[in-house]
Amino acid sequence: MRDSAEGATTTRRGFLGLAGLTAVIAASGGLLEACSTTVTRKGTGKAEAVDKLTQLLPKHIPYTGVTPDVNTATAIGFNTYPSTLVKAVPQTPGAGGSYTAIIPLWGPPPPVPNPYYDAVNKALGADLKLQIIDGNTFGDKIAPILAAGNVPEISAIPGFIIQGVADFDRSADKLFLDLGPYLSGDKSAAYPMLANITTDAWAFGVWNGKLMSIPHPGSGPPRVSFYRKDLFDAAGVQPWTTADELFELGQQLTNAKKKVWAFATIHQEVERAFRAPSKWRLENGKLVHKYETKEYADAVAFMRKLFDAKLVHPKVISAGLTNDPSKELFEGGQALIMDDGMGAWHEAITRQAAINPKFDMEPNHWTADGGQPFAWYSDPAWLFTFLRKDLPKAKVEEILRMLNWLASPIGTQEYHTWKYGVEGTDFTQKPGAFPEYTKKGLQEASPPTYYFLSAQIEPTNPYTPTYIKTFGDYLKVWESSIEDYPFKGIRTQDPSKMAAAQQPMEDKVLDIVKGRRPLTDLTTAVQEWKAAGGEEARTFYMKVLKDNGRA
Amino acid sequence: MRSETRPVSAPDASSGAGTGPAPPAAKKSKKQTEPKVPFRARLRRDWQLLVMTLPAIGLLALFHYVPTFGNIIAFQDYSTVDGILHSPFVGFGNFAYLLSEPAFWRAARNTVAITSFQLVFYFPIPIAMAILLNSVLGKRTRAIIQNVAYLPHFFSWVLVITIFQDMLGGAGLLGQFFTQHGVDGVDLTTNPDTFIALVTAQTIWKDAGWGTIIFLAALSTINPNLYEASAVDGASRWRRLWHITLPGLRPVIILLLILRLGDALNVGFEQFLLQRGAVGANAAEVIDTYVYWLGLRTGDYSIGAAASLLKGVIGLVLILVANRVAHKLGEQGIYQRT
């Protein structure tokens, strides 16, 4: 149950779900799935691009106080826990103020009051109250809060939720503070931990041409194929490298009589492996949507093949919107291959440690043809922290100092305090080892509450002896093979007509994959999608490219 | 003493449930005793009672009638930022859009199909169950059966659907049984063609027991002397059912039928949302899930409000028509005609 929220799932609209229309996205270890498709919202589309914003964005000043063993653009981690912790923020950030922050949380919230919160508040030198909203219903809750203008001093809102909030940009203008006067350009130097955030991520914090929020960096593979390493080893089989191998492997592994099927949810990875773009692709100066590509059609045909051969777990077929059973089936050994967010990995290992010590899983990068690796792009920031508009300057600065404190990376005393709480109460630590939560700590400190205000990549811990290396190797492949995404660094929001067109399209594709419609219907479905909003979206996105000098 | 002169209608209504329509003589005498008291006198007489209703009226007004005005957004291009006061009016534009959408009609078709199917295959079941239960003489046995039958009503839909999938799904009990015997791929939960029977079965399992309560109460008001007398006269069990039990239940059955009609377009939400993936939108999309997808998930609240308003108006019309028909046939309907 450690870090349940990091790997926790939340439903969002936008992914075609084999598990129903489930769009399950694992906000995992800061490595949040990218918006390969977006949630819908009312109104026209919006875009903000990094290229034009150099004046506005805070200057990136990398923090050099700690040197992690793993330190790539998307991952940071230590093989052993640092024995001496650096003090990154010399002064107590707070000035005794009292503030409330809205944060999402996937999983049960800590009981209050608790010594963990007290310890963090003491270190902050202020009273920071957390108003926790269940991540699964965050969108339903935040919309009325925004509509009523009833926001607390601090609001941390996931990007995929913002996609679903009608007229968010206008609400933001009305309710939230322009942080430009505090952070733009060289001013970021006053908050060194916030200055550690990359420029790409900062660009995503811009709305209406103003720096409205502190972005939470979280780039990583949108989706990863996992297999049960322990059961693969027991069966004496190797991971696959091509689609044909995957199909054969599926037939070999599926044994309905023993209640074992090869596949849980896997469609997104199949789409990627067939080299369909995550969303749009620029071909000879023209934008082509994923749905329109031959690669996507091939992926759909392959998925249909898996279903026709009855290699997919029946519960995945009957799953609906809010109940994707893939994690349970995979961890319980009823399905051996699935795709999920990166964070699902350490989450499952932590969860299974007490239940099934032999449990082991690993990611496998593959392509349908077995050729060069091919990966999907993901946005450089996934969650955004806003401040209320009417706050006086002194309070804004106090809050920014607190957020700066919370943004201290692993290896610092500050991180150690908000991550683990009070030694003896919330965690115990053997020399040289990573701290381990106590039973109380699992309730209080382990649910990642302050994490959502921490604006940093969630570090990688050695969950298994080979975890960090395998993780790092996978990320290297991912980073080196990211698709040529036309909107890199541009935060886009779909026009409402495209958003409305998406659900019917996904319904139809689901019907095709699950065998309720013939494969040939895909062409018609794409035509209907184009007419219902796809063409309009293309026009909108072409304009975005032109406006940014990319087409 | 004053209150005795007030027209009393409640006891009439309840006794009507037991003995059929009240005899006309009673009605006449009531009309005759109704005095012509001026409004101010009545106010002076009843003011304590009126004061007592104020909290309830306040609650109704605050949480029911005031929010009803929110339906205005169905005629606007509503934006949460501008609010009701500043959002532009678009007349019937939202309704026109809805009626031009094939997806809306598909949802409406599914809703009507499911509601008609359930009217035939679900509605009579609690009545039959109540009659059966009423004939169980052992008090303990009856209590146990009742408890078992009521229990599923308190389960959430998530649980009910999970149970059904674990029993009837491909990896469930039935599917596994067939797999063990060499028949692959039996899965009753993912067939769009039989979905309507599946959801009705789920509804019966979940709510039929609960639905018996009201019929059991009605049954208990039937005078047992009638049974004894007819038994003495040599009436068989069936004749007693036909000539005593069912007529005794008739007003309640008709009342519930009318209310059901008013609710005809509400077939449930979670049950369909949860199973949408299993059978696809063509079978599982109902008006409520359509409103959810189009109105809530896309933030297009106006369209959602329009669809709901349309649904509400149709429900109201159905209730009024059904009630009028009931009155024409000499039944009480949902209120007594004076």
Side-chain angles (χ1 to χ4, degrees):
Chain A
M1 281 309 290
R2 262 198 86 253
D3 295 355
S4 61
E6 294 159 28
T9 57
T10 170
T11 58
R12 50 167 289 199
R13 177 168 168 195
F15 291 110
L16 153 66
L18 279 187
L21 296 158
T22 323
V24 176
I25 145 171
S28 310
L31 302 172
L32 190 98
E33 269 91 316
C35 306
S36 63
T37 48
T38 45
V39 188
T40 53
R41 69 178 277 285
K42 189 178 174 231
T44 50
K46 289 284 172 344
E48 305 281 356
V50 66
D51 315 11
K52 294 176 146 188
L53 302 169
T54 36
Q55 291 299 307
L56 186 65
L57 300 180
K59 194 175 165 197
H60 177 49
I61 311 167
Y63 177 64
T64 52
V66 287
T67 41
D69 299 331
V70 178
N71 198 4
T72 77
T74 54
I76 152 173
F78 285 94
N79 291 319
T80 54
Y81 201 73
S83 49
T84 49
L85 298 173
V86 181
K87 192 165 175 59
V89 181
Q91 269 100 36
T92 305
S98 179
Y99 303 102
T100 302
I102 282 182
I103 57 162
L105 182 67
W106 287 264
V112 278
N114 66 57
Y116 167 66
Y117 283 0
D118 295 343
V120 175
N121 274 333
K122 196 176 158 221
L124 282 172
D127 183 19
L128 180 60
K129 292 187 205 67
L130 300 178
Q131 184 180 338
I132 295 172
I133 297 180
D134 176 24
N136 294 316
T137 55
F138 196 90
D140 301 339
K141 304 273 165 58
I142 199 75
I145 290 176
L146 293 174
N150 190 14
V151 290
E153 288 86 0
I154 307 163
S155 310
I157 310 176
F160 57 84
I161 300 278
I162 290 175
Q163 284 277 352
V165 177
D167 292 321
F168 180 84
D169 46 335
R170 290 175 61 205
S171 294
D173 239 5
K174 213 165 98 179
L175 300 172
F176 298 128
L177 185 74
D178 177 5
L179 297 173
Y182 299 90
L183 293 169
S184 282
D186 293 337
K187 296 192 193 89
S188 66
Y191 308 95
M193 301 300 134
L194 297 180
N196 193 27
I197 298 171
T198 58
T199 312
D200 281 358
W202 275 118
F204 275 65
V206 174
W207 267 268
N208 310 321
K210 283 179 283 194
L211 185 68
M212 298 297 289
S213 76
I214 299 168
H216 198 131
S219 188
R223 211 74 181 167
V224 181
S225 297
F226 289 109
Y227 65 98
R228 280 289 297 267
K229 185 160 190 327
D230 52 339
L231 299 178
F232 267 52
D233 289 351
V237 294
Q238 293 295 316
W240 65 105
T241 52
T242 65
D244 290 340
E245 278 181 42
L246 181 65
F247 185 75
E248 279 168 32
L249 197 59
Q251 287 185 312
Q252 199 182 332
L253 293 171
T254 301
N255 185 346
K257 282 192 179 169
K258 293 203 165 142
K259 275 192 119 172
V260 174
W261 283 265
F263 302 105
T265 301
I266 186 84
H267 65 282
Q268 288 187 64
E269 269 291 278
V270 169
E271 288 171 19
R272 179 204 55 76
F274 276 82
R275 299 176 192 277
S278 61
K279 196 172 172 188
W280 294 100
R281 182 167 67 194
L282 200 55
E283 266 174 26
N284 308 321
K286 189 190 168 211
L287 278 173
V288 179
H289 193 271
K290 173 172 90 174
Y291 293 148
E292 304 169 284
T293 61
K294 183 177 180 307
E295 291 89 333
Y296 182 76
D298 290 346
V300 170
F302 182 74
M303 283 307 307
R304 172 69 178 262
K305 199 170 138 191
L306 296 185
F307 273 88
D308 283 349
K310 299 199 182 344
L311 306 179
V312 181
H313 197 288
K315 283 202 172 173
V316 173
I317 306 175
S318 62
L321 175 76
T322 52
N323 51 348
D324 182 357
S326 293
K327 281 178 200 288
E328 290 80 10
L329 299 175
F330 184 77
E331 289 175 34
Q334 285 196 39
L336 306 182
I337 299 165
M338 69 160 184
D339 67 9
D340 206 330
M342 203 59 163
W345 185 6
H346 74 75
E347 197 204 25
I349 285 173
T350 321
R351 200 162 35 220
Q352 289 295 320
I355 304 166
N356 175 12
K358 284 188 194 146
F359 178 91
D360 197 12
M361 62 192 270
E362 280 198 352
N364 181 35
H365 188 93
W366 60 289
T367 47
D369 51 17
Q372 285 295 309
F374 173 79
W376 277 353
Y377 166 84
S378 70
D379 287 335
W382 77 277
L383 176 134
F384 304 92
T385 304
F386 298 88
L387 269 56
R388 199 173 63 207
K389 198 169 196 173
D390 59 1
L391 293 171
K393 189 162 181 275
K395 291 206 163 187
V396 173
E397 284 169 353
E398 184 183 1
I399 293 173
L400 287 176
R401 285 198 305 273
M402 284 158 59
L403 294 175
N404 178 59
W405 187 92
L406 283 166
S408 310
I410 183 170
T412 62
Q413 293 177 11
E414 290 79 5
Y415 174 85
H416 189 76
T417 302
W418 72 251
K419 175 78 181 171
Y420 297 109
V422 186
E423 181 152 20
T425 309
D426 293 318
F427 72 95
T428 55
Q429 191 176 22
K430 297 184 190 106
F434 274 76
E436 278 184 34
Y437 288 117
T438 60
K439 214 176 154 198
K440 205 171 165 56
L442 279 175
Q443 279 180 6
E444 294 172 357
S446 163
T449 46
Y450 295 107
Y451 163 73
F452 294 110
L453 298 171
S454 72
Q456 61 168 302
I457 301 167
E458 173 70 0
T460 313
N461 291 341
Y463 299 96
T464 69
T466 54
Y467 183 89
I468 289 198
K469 184 174 181 314
T470 318
F471 184 93
D473 290 350
Y474 188 92
L475 279 190
K476 268 180 216 148
V477 175
W478 177 72
E479 282 171 18
S480 66
S481 59
I482 292 178
E483 62 179 321
D484 198 5
Y485 182 63
F487 301 98
K488 265 180 199 166
I490 304 177
R491 182 171 50 74
T492 55
Q493 203 152 14
D494 285 344
S496 65
K497 245 191 122 179
M498 174 180 181
Q502 200 166 306
Q503 192 59 46
M505 175 68 187
E506 288 174 1
D507 284 343
K508 286 168 201 161
V509 175
L510 199 63
D511 283 346
I512 292 168
V513 165
K514 290 190 179 178
R516 295 191 285 256
R517 276 171 188 251
L519 254 178
T520 45
D521 269 16
L522 186 64
T523 327
T524 339
V526 173
Q527 292 303 332
E528 284 163 0
W529 170 82
K530 278 191 205 169
E535 283 301 342
E536 193 171 302
R538 195 194 325 272
T539 314
F540 163 75
Y541 277 109
M542 276 311 292
K543 185 169 177 307
V544 172
L545 285 188
K546 287 204 178 91
D547 289 349
N548 287 282
R550 295 193 190 180
Chain B
M1 291 302 287
R2 280 172 184 164
S3 61
E4 273 174 17
T5 57
R6 291 175 62 230
V8 208
S9 59
D12 281 352
S14 67
S15 70
T19 56
K27 259 187 184 167
K28 229 174 224 169
S29 67
K30 206 175 72 189
K31 271 206 173 130
Q32 281 163 357
T33 54
E34 202 169 302
K36 287 260 182 277
V37 185
F39 177 74
R40 291 178 67 177
R42 275 187 291 156
L43 198 65
R44 220 174 20 250
R45 186 188 69 194
D46 295 337
W47 70 269
Q48 296 99 329
L49 294 172
L50 290 172
V51 167
M52 275 194 270
T53 63
L54 280 183
I57 289 176
L59 279 177
L60 256 182
L62 192 62
F63 293 110
H64 202 95
Y65 291 111
V66 172
T68 301
F69 285 109
N71 275 319
I72 270 184
I73 69 170
F75 305 94
Q76 289 182 326
D77 182 13
Y78 177 71
S79 149
T80 50
V81 181
D82 297 324
I84 290 179
L85 295 181
H86 303 286
S87 293
F89 277 90
V90 294
F92 286 88
N94 293 321
F95 295 90
Y97 171 81
L98 266 184
L99 299 181
S100 71
E101 268 294 287
F104 174 76
W105 287 108
R106 177 181 67 181
R109 259 201 316 278
N110 283 340
T111 310
V112 171
I114 289 166
T115 214
S116 323
F117 190 84
Q118 294 195 344
L119 201 63
V120 177
F121 291 96
Y122 167 74
F123 189 78
I125 285 177
I127 303 175
M129 254 177 99
I131 293 172
L132 284 175
L133 266 175
N134 204 40
S135 65
V136 175
L137 290 176
K139 262 195 173 157
R140 254 183 94 84
T141 327
R142 194 169 143 178
I144 291 172
I145 296 176
Q146 274 178 310
N147 278 321
V148 169
Y150 292 170
L151 191 66
H153 174 75
F154 297 98
F155 294 167
S156 67
W157 274 115
V158 178
L159 200 61
V160 173
I161 285 158
T162 308
I163 291 171
F164 266 78
Q165 289 185 345
D166 278 339
M167 300 300 288
L168 306 179
L173 219 57
L174 191 74
Q176 279 301 301
F177 175 81
F178 278 107
T179 307
Q180 302 296 349
H181 292 83
V183 186
D184 247 1
V186 174
D187 188 343
L188 299 183
T189 59
T190 53
N191 186 345
D193 300 325
T194 57
F195 181 66
I196 197 165
L198 178 74
V199 290
T200 307
Q202 287 163 347
T203 311
I204 290 173
W205 187 79
K206 188 175 187 293
D207 282 330
W210 186 251
T212 59
I213 291 180
I214 213 159
F215 293 111
L216 279 174
L219 281 172
S220 70
T221 63
I222 298 179
N223 189 345
N225 292 339
L226 294 174
Y227 289 105
E228 282 169 25
S230 60
V232 170
D233 289 348
S236 71
R237 204 171 264 265
W238 285 109
R239 294 203 76 86
R240 275 176 274 160
L241 175 72
W242 188 252
H243 291 292
I244 302 173
T245 313
L246 288 180
L249 286 178
R250 198 171 61 185
V252 177
I253 294 177
I254 294 202
L255 174 75
L256 289 182
L257 202 57
I258 295 171
L259 292 179
R260 178 74 206 110
L261 275 179
D263 241 9
L265 297 184
N266 292 329
V267 289
F269 172 71
E270 275 173 296
Q271 191 186 4
F272 296 93
L273 191 70
L274 286 166
Q275 298 185 91
R276 191 187 155 106
V279 296
N282 274 336
E285 188 91 292
V286 294
I287 293 181
D288 281 348
T289 53
Y290 177 77
V291 166
Y292 173 75
W293 286 112
L294 192 78
L296 292 179
R297 289 315 282 270
T298 62
D300 222 337
Y301 300 113
S302 288
I303 302 267
S308 293
L309 195 61
L310 202 61
K311 210 181 78 174
V313 169
I314 293 174
L316 183 69
V317 168
L318 281 176
I319 277 204
L320 292 178
V321 169
N323 198 44
R324 170 146 296 200
V325 170
H327 285 159
K328 281 259 155 64
L329 296 176
E331 296 290 340
Q332 271 174 233
I334 40 178
Y335 56 85
Q336 198 152 23
R337 287 191 100 182
T338 48

